[in-house]
Amino acid sequence: MSKPKLRTISPVTARRLAIERQRLSGPRPPASHEGMLDVLRDIRCLQLDPISAVARSHQLVLFSRLGGYDLAHLDTLLWQDRSLFEYWAHAASMVLTEDYPIHNLMMRQYVTSDSAWSTRVRAWMEQNKPLHDHILKELAERGPLLSRQLQGQGFEPEGWVSTGWSNDRNVSRMLDFLWIRGQIMVAGRSGGQKIWDLTERCLPEWTPRESLSESEVAHNAAQKSLRALGVGTSKHINVHFIRGRYTKINNVIKELESDSLIQRVQIADENGAWAGDWYIHADDLPLLERIEAGDWQPRTTLLSPFDNLICDRQRTEKMFSFEFRIEIYVPKAKRQYGYYVLPILHGDQLIGRIDPTMNRKTKQLIINNVYAESNAPTTPEAASAVARSIDELAAFLGAKEIVYPDSECIPVGWRPALG
C-alpha cells in the first residue's frame, strides 16, 4: 500500500500557525488572571532573565501577547494562587503547576546519572552534607528565607570551584541543587532576590502528584512543545519547553504519529520542499484550515529577545529569514544592533528591531536606534503600526516620554511616523 500524500503548506501558513499558537495574532486575550493563565497554557513557560534595561523578559513576553497589564496579576498567579512556580524549562522559567508531573521527573533524576557533571555535583553535595542539612533545617524551622539568611555557621564547606560567577558561592550552589532536585522552591521575591522555602509548603494541595515515567513525560511534553511551536521538526520539539529532556525523541515522534496525535506535513516554497520532517498536532488541524482559508488577524508588536517565538535561533532564521543574536555580552564597539534589542513582529514577518532603554528616573523610553529589514514594508500603514507598538511599550512601562534618535538612525520610510 502506498503512503498517503503529504499535506503541503506554504511558509506563510507555517509562520502564521506558529504565531497564532504563540498568541501573537488575533484578538488579544483579556489582561486578567484568566487571560494570563490562558496564554501560559499555550506557551507553557516564561523564561526568566535578570536584565532589566527595558523590563524583565517574562514581563515583556506577556506584554507582547496581552498588551498593557497589571504586574500584580502575575504575582497573584505565582505567590498566592500558586498556579505557577519557578523551575527549569528550556532555561530558568516560570512554569505551570499543572505541569508539575512533567518537571518532577527531572527532580527525581537530577544527578543520578554517571555523567561527569552528575558525578561532580553528587560528590560535592556529599562532601557538604552539613551545609545541605543546615539549609533544610533552617528552612523547616524559620522559612521562608533569603539566601543571605542561610549562611552556615560552625563548619567549613568544601568550596564549589568554577571559572564563572558561581565560584565559591557555596550556599547559592547548594540552593540551586536543592531547587532542581525539587526539595525547595522559590516562595517569593524581595527586590528581585529569591525567597526560599520547602517545596511541601509552596505547592498547593491541588497540585497533580502522579509519578510519570520517562516515556510518559516525553509523550506528554512533546505534544505540548509541538502545540506551542505550531509546526516543527523533532529537533525543534526537542529544544523547546523542556529542552533536551525528551527521552528517545525520534521514537516518541513516530509513536505519536502512529497514534494519529500528530501529523506530518511538508512546507514548500518556490524552491521546493523544506528539508526535514515537519509536524503539526492533530488538535491544530482545524486552526490550520482556518488559516489556509484566510481567517487570520495580524498584529504588530515588539518581542523580548528571549521570546518563546524566537528562542530557537536556527528555527527563526529558517521560518522568518531573520537572523537574531543577543549582544548583551558582546563588547559595545562590536555590537551590530545594541545591548537589549527587541524584534518587531508585523503580521507574519519580523520586519526589524529597536534598541531601547528605559530610564526609570526620568520616566523616558529612549529609542537608541531603529532598524528595518531589507524587505520591510515602508508604507505609512506599516510605519504607523511600528510607532503604535512603541507607544504601547512606553505606556506599559509607565514612560511619560519617548525619546527618538536623530532621523538618520530611523529607516527612511518610517521617519514620518517615528520621532
Side-chain angles (χ1 to χ4, degrees):
M1 181 182 295
S2 62
K3 292 183 179 180
K5 185 178 179 181
L6 281 181
R7 182 172 190 156
T8 299
I9 64 175
S10 69
V12 169
T13 296
R15 287 195 298 270
R16 291 182 176 183
L17 181 59
I19 292 166
E20 182 81 18
R21 291 300 301 135
Q22 278 293 312
R23 304 303 293 272
L24 288 164
S25 62
R28 279 177 168 156
S32 61
H33 298 91
E34 294 76 15
M36 192 174 292
L37 198 56
D38 186 40
V39 166
L40 287 163
R41 284 181 172 136
D42 276 338
I43 68 175
R44 304 318 294 188
C45 61
L46 285 173
Q47 181 173 338
L48 294 166
D49 188 86
I51 297 169
S52 56
V54 180
R56 295 293 172 86
S57 178
H58 65 275
Q59 296 170 354
L60 291 173
V61 170
L62 289 174
F63 157 76
S64 299
R65 290 149 177 83
L66 300 170
Y69 66 94
D70 187 344
L71 295 176
H73 291 334
L74 184 57
D75 286 342
T76 297
L77 290 177
L78 269 166
W79 314 128
Q80 296 178 35
D81 298 349
R82 300 287 180 179
S83 299
L84 308 172
F85 67 96
E86 294 187 19
Y87 196 62
W88 197 265
H90 61 254
S93 305
M94 295 176 186
V95 297
L96 291 157
T97 303
E98 61 195 55
D99 284 341
Y100 179 77
I102 291 174
H103 300 293
N104 179 250
L105 179 65
M106 183 176 184
M107 299 175 186
R108 287 184 279 126
Q109 293 186 339
Y110 187 62
V111 302
T112 60
S113 75
D114 295 327
S115 70
W117 170 257
S118 294
T119 301
R120 182 189 176 197
V121 172
R122 193 162 55 242
W124 185 83
M125 293 187 76
E126 290 171 357
Q127 291 168 349
N128 288 280
K129 192 173 186 304
L131 177 61
H132 169 281
D133 295 345
H134 165 78
I135 289 174
L136 293 179
K137 181 174 181 292
E138 288 292 289
L139 289 177
E141 295 178 356
R142 301 195 298 121
L145 298 170
L146 294 161
S147 61
R148 66 171 179 263
Q149 297 173 295
L150 290 164
Q151 300 300 319
Q153 300 293 330
F155 55 88
E156 292 297 326
E158 181 72 22
W160 178 264
V161 178
S162 81
T163 58
W165 68 269
S166 61
N167 185 59
D168 214 30
R169 297 183 63 170
N170 305 309
V171 171
S172 295
R173 286 278 77 187
M174 185 64 77
L175 287 169
D176 285 342
F177 297 149
L178 290 170
W179 169 62
I180 297 177
R181 287 175 61 173
Q183 293 176 263
I184 64 175
M185 281 189 170
V186 180
R189 292 268 183 168
S190 176
Q193 295 186 57
K194 297 172 185 175
I195 302 172
W196 298 98
D197 205 353
L198 300 177
T199 293
E200 57 262 33
R201 293 208 290 246
C202 293
L203 290 176
E205 291 184 5
W206 55 263
T207 304
R209 309 278 180 163
E210 63 265 34
S211 182
L212 301 180
S213 67
E214 289 184 351
S215 176
E216 289 171 326
V217 166
H219 280 72
N220 191 334
Q223 293 183 74
K224 295 181 187 300
S225 178
L226 179 57
R227 294 214 68 196
L229 291 166
V231 59
T233 66
S234 61
K235 181 180 179 181
H236 300 152
I237 293 168
N238 192 47
V239 297
H240 201 70
F241 185 31
I242 58 167
R243 179 175 295 167
R245 283 148 54 192
Y246 301 91
T247 304
K248 299 179 180 177
I249 184 63
N250 291 329
N251 289 343
V252 169
I253 294 298
K254 290 178 182 177
E255 291 166 5
L256 292 174
E257 185 179 15
S258 177
D259 292 339
S260 299
L261 293 170
I262 67 174
Q263 183 178 112
R264 195 179 312 208
V265 295
Q266 178 177 262
I267 304 176
D269 56 23
E270 64 277 6
N271 297 315
W274 287 7
D277 294 326
W278 294 76
Y279 300 89
I280 66 169
H281 198 278
D283 289 347
D284 286 328
L285 288 173
L287 172 60
L288 173 63
E289 290 168 359
R290 289 201 303 273
I291 290 173
E292 289 183 323
D295 183 5
W296 192 77
Q297 299 178 45
R299 279 193 237 147
T300 301
T301 191
L302 303 172
L303 301 178
S304 159
F306 301 98
D307 195 279
N308 300 42
L309 180 71
I310 58 172
C311 60
D312 183 340
R313 307 304 183 201
Q314 291 182 346
R315 181 175 184 269
T316 301
E317 288 182 31
K318 181 63 180 177
M319 294 194 69
F320 295 91
S321 299
F322 186 82
E323 184 176 327
F324 184 70
R325 298 292 183 272
I326 294 174
E327 298 182 292
I328 292 166
Y329 304 110
V330 176
K332 185 175 181 179
K334 295 184 178 181
R335 290 175 192 148
Q336 182 178 4
Y337 295 110
Y339 178 75
Y340 199 80
V341 171
L342 309 187
I344 304 167
L345 177 67
H346 179 67
D348 59 30
Q349 294 282 355
L350 293 166
I351 64 169
R353 57 201 97 196
I354 68 169
D355 171 22
T357 307
M358 179 61 191
N359 188 321
R360 290 173 178 79
K361 289 184 179 180
T362 62
K363 293 189 180 298
Q364 293 175 310
L365 177 61
I366 301 167
I367 309 300
N368 301 299
N369 269 300
V370 181
Y371 304 93
E373 292 294 283
S374 60
N375 61 345
T378 57
T379 62
E381 292 77 15
S384 295
V386 173
R388 282 195 301 273
S389 70
I390 295 173
D391 290 343
E392 289 174 352
L393 176 63
F396 173 64
L397 298 175
K400 294 182 178 179
E401 181 185 11
I402 302 172
V403 180
Y404 281 98
D406 293 337
S407 61
E408 62 265 22
C409 296
I410 300 174
V412 174
W414 296 353
R415 287 176 189 172
L418 278 66

